[in-house]
Amino acid sequence: MHIDVITVFPDMIDRFCGHSLLGRAQRRDLLRIRALDPRNYAPDAHRTVDGPPFGGGAGMVMMPGPIFDLVEAEEVSRPVLLMAPSGRRFDQATAVELASTDGFSIICGRYEGVDDRVRTELCDGVLSLGDFVLAGGEVAALAVIEAVARLVPGVMGNAESAKEESFADGLLEYPQFTRPADFRGWLVPEVLRGGDHAAVDRWRRAQALRRTLRERPDLMVARGGLSDHERELLHSLERSEPIEGQGDRPPS
């Protein structure tokens, strides 16, 4: 997968993407991530990429010329996406959609934003992380890259991990525990220590349903609510299981 990031801070992208999962994936030739600076296509010796907005107002706006010239000269990957608060809300479904492509590009705005002709005439779409404003698009772009890259075959060491994570089935992920089994009197649920894999699967499914119902009921509504089987699973376990997050308590 080829991912191109258009940014006036290419070092920010390179440093982040050189570490951990993304760094390993690039060293294994599973990903190619390029940070491309529109200043290299600026029309003057000062490498100017911004100007005052028509109509007046505070701040500066990124000019269309350097961005258009960069995209055309570098033959960046399509689709070309702009990070902006007005865009489509990025979620796991969008990550899955992008992971099925051969690559994409992200334009990171700065200052007061990007000349709108970049959005209307150059970009294939606009993405947003949510209803808030950042100083620039780099942090948002890195979040998109990591969310997508970990879904690319071979990037994650355990391919099953992505199938069981939050949002993979419209649910939040079940609680996870590791050693020690007894930490300050809080015990790992007995079902996870018993070796019955079918029971573990049922417990995990029930906990994912419970957590989603409690913390993100909007997700439950979006997936159409509980199925009959899921409702039966919750009813069958609700008497025997502790409140999620507290673990089993030792006898008093």
Side-chain angles (χ1 to χ4, degrees):
M1 172 174 281
H2 294 179
I3 302 174
D4 295 317
V5 184
I6 299 165
T7 170
V8 294
F9 293 108
D11 287 348
M12 184 183 299
I13 305 299
D14 289 337
R15 289 178 182 178
F16 183 90
C17 295
H19 294 280
S20 189
L21 192 74
L22 297 176
R24 291 195 300 271
Q26 290 190 85
R27 289 188 289 274
R28 294 170 57 202
D29 292 327
L30 297 172
L31 294 176
R32 184 189 70 171
I33 302 173
R34 295 192 301 173
L36 304 170
D37 191 345
R39 293 187 188 278
N40 295 331
Y41 293 86
D44 63 350
H46 298 289
R47 306 178 77 208
T48 304
V49 294
D50 62 324
F54 279 111
M60 305 288 276
V61 176
M62 293 186 70
M63 299 186 297
I67 299 175
F68 269 81
D69 291 345
L70 183 157
V71 168
E72 292 163 357
E74 299 287 348
E75 298 182 348
V76 304
S77 300
R78 290 279 183 175
V80 174
L81 305 168
L82 173 68
M83 299 304 310
S86 62
R88 167 189 176 188
R89 181 72 63 89
F90 181 77
D91 56 16
Q92 191 68 14
T94 312
V96 171
E97 179 183 321
L98 289 173
S100 68
T101 69
D102 293 329
F104 57 94
S105 298
I106 300 178
I107 297 176
C108 301
R110 277 277 157 178
Y111 318 115
E112 289 301 309
V114 178
D115 185 293
D116 202 58
R117 288 166 290 189
V118 172
R119 180 183 65 84
T120 59
E121 309 301 330
L122 181 64
C123 292
D124 301 300
V126 185
L127 291 180
S128 170
L129 289 192
D131 297 334
F132 54 89
V133 179
L134 299 170
E138 286 77 14
V139 170
L142 290 171
V144 170
I145 291 169
E146 183 160 293
V148 173
R150 60 201 312 279
L151 300 176
V152 174
V155 169
M156 293 183 67
N158 184 353
E160 293 300 313
S161 295
K163 298 179 182 179
E164 298 181 0
E165 293 173 334
S166 290
F167 313 113
D169 187 29
L171 301 173
L172 298 180
E173 190 177 14
Y174 49 79
Q176 299 276 14
F177 298 90
T178 187
R179 293 171 297 195
D182 182 345
F183 177 69
R184 298 184 180 181
W186 292 292
L187 303 182
V188 173
E190 184 177 356
V191 64
L192 300 180
R193 295 175 274 138
D196 184 337
H197 296 296
V200 169
D201 288 342
R202 290 194 299 273
W203 183 89
R204 286 176 169 172
R205 184 68 176 181
Q207 293 294 342
L209 292 166
R210 288 175 176 175
R211 176 175 281 183
T212 306
L213 282 167
R214 185 180 66 249
E215 299 183 12
R216 290 292 304 276
D218 58 305
L219 293 177
M220 189 61 71
V221 171
R223 69 190 294 271
L226 293 169
S227 68
D228 291 341
H229 173 74
E230 290 168 341
R231 193 172 289 106
E232 181 181 343
L233 175 63
L234 285 176
H235 287 325
S236 66
L237 294 180
E238 64 183 3
R239 291 186 178 181
S240 60
E241 294 300 323
I243 297 174
E244 181 226 302
Q246 293 188 2
D248 292 343
R249 286 287 189 175
S252 58

